Amino acid sequence: MNSNIEHIEKELAGLRNELKNHSLYKKLHTIEDVQTFMSLHVFAVWDFMSLLKAIQMNLTCVSIPWIPAKNAELARFINEIVVAEESDHDAHGVIKSHFEMYLTAMNEVNADPSKMNEFMKMIQSNNTVAAALENLAVPQEVKEFLNFTFDTIKTNKTHLIASSFTFGREDVIPDMFISIIDKATLENNKSYDSFNYYLERHIELDGDEHGPLSLKMVTELCGNDAQKWKEVLETGKKALQLRINLWTGIERQITDNN
């Protein structure tokens, strides 16, 4: 492993452990708890795609006339993730984005989609993310999480976007979802097949394929630029902290509902 990646992994270990052992998981006892979790976590499922698309725009050609990508290997990596995230097979073989799979799983467990639906209507009406979130009745931690994502995208610095993508998402998703399965004990309940499929699919893709490749992407983007490596670490720390804060906000909502 690249020495810079090893340094970052070491620096982020404390935050990763805090996330992996977050007390939220112990609050996922009932189907009502899982419903609350999904109704808020869906915002993180949605904004992941904008991070991915921002990287795709920077590392591939999505304009006309087409020109070759500067790094064909990175272009292939991003395009492969886009295929998997935007047009995967669901549990019944139907082509769907992972966001749409998550909405299906929410419907299966009767989780409330109204806040996400309201948010999507505002986005589709050409409101900015910040404006759409401003008066939305969701925890502040949800708003801060999404606003950081789009502030990072606005920098148009691919290594920063890749850092948030890798260390705040791809590199940590398997740990989070394994903990959710363990604590929520959904795997043996046949009525939640879509949610289980979604979780298992992410563990398979992110742990076995996308996680390691995303680390390689960061290495390629930073090269020997010490300043970029410093910025990647700072962004990774912030992304992880905001993920922890998001979990805290969801936990508080579950507690308030009980």
Side-chain angles (χ1 to χ4, degrees):
M1 182 183 291
N2 179 278
S3 61
N4 288 300
I5 291 292
E6 288 180 345
H7 172 69
I8 289 175
E9 295 275 28
K10 183 177 179 180
E11 289 291 311
L12 297 181
L15 289 170
R16 283 176 59 87
N17 286 333
E18 186 176 349
L19 183 61
K20 186 176 181 179
N21 297 298
H22 198 287
S23 53
L24 165 66
Y25 305 125
K26 297 178 181 178
K27 298 292 178 66
L28 294 172
H29 296 302
T30 67
I31 188 58
E32 289 78 17
D33 298 335
V34 174
Q35 289 168 351
T36 300
F37 170 82
M38 295 183 76
S39 70
L40 297 175
H41 176 242
V42 66
F43 285 90
V45 176
W46 172 81
D47 88 327
F48 169 85
M49 280 305 301
S50 290
L51 275 176
L52 176 57
K53 286 295 184 176
I55 299 173
Q56 186 184 38
M57 290 170 66
N58 287 350
L59 295 184
T60 73
C61 182
V62 291
S63 60
I64 299 172
W66 175 86
I67 58 174
K70 293 181 179 179
N71 187 318
E73 187 174 7
L74 289 181
R76 180 182 176 88
F77 162 61
I78 288 300
N79 286 334
E80 285 179 350
I81 294 185
V82 170
V83 170
E85 293 287 342
E86 196 170 30
S87 52
D88 202 2
H89 292 90
D90 72 2
H92 306 289
V94 178
I95 302 296
K96 288 182 179 179
S97 68
H98 282 196
F99 172 69
E100 291 168 307
M101 286 187 200
Y102 201 85
L103 292 178
T104 298
M106 288 178 65
N107 181 63
E108 187 177 70
V109 303
N110 293 319
D112 182 10
S114 61
K115 301 305 179 187
M116 173 51 72
N117 290 342
E118 180 183 351
F119 176 74
M120 289 300 295
K121 286 180 182 178
M122 295 187 71
I123 293 296
Q124 290 164 350
S125 298
N126 296 320
N127 287 282
T128 65
V129 170
L133 288 170
E134 188 171 359
N135 296 314
L136 196 67
V138 294
Q140 184 64 25
E141 292 88 350
V142 174
K143 299 179 182 182
E144 291 174 354
F145 185 85
L146 267 66
N147 281 327
F148 174 73
T149 292
F150 284 87
D151 286 345
T152 302
I153 290 171
K154 287 176 186 176
T155 69
N156 203 34
K157 294 182 178 180
T158 312
H159 64 290
L160 299 187
I161 302 169
S163 177
S164 184
F165 176 90
T166 299
F167 301 111
R169 309 299 176 94
E170 291 296 290
D171 197 35
V172 80
I173 279 175
D175 285 347
M176 292 192 308
F177 284 175
I178 287 170
S179 294
I180 291 171
I181 287 177
D182 287 344
K183 301 300 181 184
T185 62
L186 293 177
E187 67 272 19
N188 295 319
N189 193 321
K190 293 182 180 180
S191 64
Y192 308 138
D193 286 347
S194 292
F195 189 34
N196 279 311
Y197 179 86
Y198 174 86
L199 295 180
E200 290 165 2
R201 185 65 174 145
H202 266 270
I203 290 169
E204 175 188 358
L205 287 175
D206 298 334
D208 296 340
E209 301 176 27
H210 296 172
L213 284 173
S214 64
L215 294 175
K216 185 175 181 180
M217 173 178 65
V218 171
T219 301
E220 291 282 338
L221 289 171
C222 292
N224 296 318
D225 191 323
Q227 181 61 31
K228 284 186 176 180
W229 281 111
K230 179 181 178 182
E231 292 173 353
V232 160
L233 176 57
E234 291 171 352
T235 299
K237 284 182 177 179
K238 183 68 172 177
L240 273 175
Q241 185 59 61
L242 285 169
R243 172 70 73 166
I244 292 168
N245 295 351
L246 174 65
W247 264 205
T248 300
I250 294 176
E251 180 182 12
R252 185 178 65 250
Q253 190 68 58
I254 289 172
T255 301
D256 289 347
N257 289 349
N258 288 336

